[in-house]
Amino acid sequence: MNSFPLKIYNTLTRKKELFEPLAAPFVGMYVCGPTVYGEAHLGHARAYVSFDVLYRYLKNVGYKVRYVRNITDVGHLVNDADEGEDKIGKIAKLEKLEPMEVVQYFTNSFHHDMALLNILPPDIEPRASGHIIEQIEMIREIMDNGLAYEVNGSVYFDVPAYNKEHKYGKLSGRIIEELLSNTRELEGQQEKRSPLDFALWKKASPEHIMRWPSPWGDGFPGWHLECSAMSRKYLGTTFDIHGGGLDLMFPHHECEIAQSQASNSKSDEAKYWVHNNMITINGQKMGKSLGNFITLGELFSGDHKMVDMPYSPMTLRFFILQAHYRSTLDFSNEALQAARKGYVKLMNALRLLEKLEAAYAEVPEEGEADLETVKMIESCYQSMADDLNTAKAISGLFNVVSFLNGKFREPILSAEVSKATLAFILTHFRTLVLDVLGLKDEKAADADALLEVVMEFYKKAKAEKDYAQVDAIRAALKKQNLVLKDSKTGVDWSYE
């Protein structure tokens, strides 16, 4: 069914390109993972839901994907600079913990939040601290090629030297002369030859907790280096997709390209560079200093001054999916509440389809699906193939929901809809909603059994004309955003 060729926006070329893997059907995909020094927040959700959809989509159309997403557990300094404290080391000192205790705690927390959002785990999840040898080897190669230099136990990448034969700024569109004119000398940067140079290896000060021996003395790798080294180890010198948030494009991804080219003299590291846009909060950039920084735990519990009520993980996932991954997405309570209604609409449609499947069980399947229905479903796949336009795909799915609601007032046979048409809708609606978009029914399985019991009490109360009990049951379910529906075929429930 999904015969539309995938086109994806490549930041490197600034245009949508036909996706052609280097060694089809195999696809190598690397996405920059979190620095685990705090709880996951809305920005993490936007990035990892976006790339989860890409991962799911590629698998759904038949590619064999190796998805690598790292854990940064060393080298990421405060303010993303080349000087100062390690973000994890700083927390470790404050909490009087070993750095790896901090890493493990927040890695576990991150995995928990990603599972709640129904984000599939990567195939490989390497840690920076476990790949020091690979990073040292890459530094040696860059130095051997004359594009890095050592000063007082630290090693820096020589951006002006690299720029003579390559183009530093090719990903972000920055021009090196403008970068130089806009830089100012910062404390601790005097040992660099150019203010644009960045650290590949930093000498560890006496108080620095995390340190490793190297040919240049005890120290730790620069933040940009880990992704170049780990992506090369698990995906090769050139692979298909490198993803991450738009905030990582410069300097992090720009430096990755430079390191990769400087070490092997030929590769842009990845063929396609894919970036998701940011989440804003009521039109403002999210930041701790602005008081609008919202963790996923705070959103799910409602325990934040800017959050009016708890929002479920699937509500947040739907909220993210209803916007294109390259567009900005503004958080507001009104937008989250609207997202919940959209999510509920899809879940109610899935429940209706399941009941219709049972109702049509004894009907012979003859002929082909209705052409109008095929076109509706095709439009959803076409939207996904057009740079993963989830917003447009969801709009197409809502057209299918409207079709179903128009044809089926109750989950019983309709002379207007053949079994072949219903089977077609059921197969592809499930595929798109559950497998590609990654939504799931949060009240499924055990909740269904419990609701069956509640409905039996409800039917008994109605039969005995105990209307006070009937109203009490309805009110209790309404608090859980569930409604009971009386019909000719009995009693059923749906999401409100």
Side-chain angles (χ1 to χ4, degrees), residues 36 162 198 205 211 403:
V36 282
Y162 166 83
F198 56 89
S205 59
R211 57 175 66 219
F403 171 83

Side-chain angles (χ1 to χ4, degrees), residues 79-118:
N79 298 322
D80 300 344
D82 280 342
E83 302 294 332
E85 284 190 272
D86 184 283
K87 293 184 176 186
I88 292 165
K90 183 177 180 180
I91 298 295
K93 286 178 183 176
L94 286 172
E95 300 294 334
K96 294 182 170 53
L97 297 169
E98 281 290 327
M100 288 305 145
E101 285 183 275
V102 175
V103 166
Q104 195 63 53
Y105 177 85
F106 287 117
T107 299
N108 291 346
S109 174
F110 172 74
H111 288 158
H112 173 73
D113 287 339
M114 296 303 102
L116 289 176
L117 287 166
N118 202 30

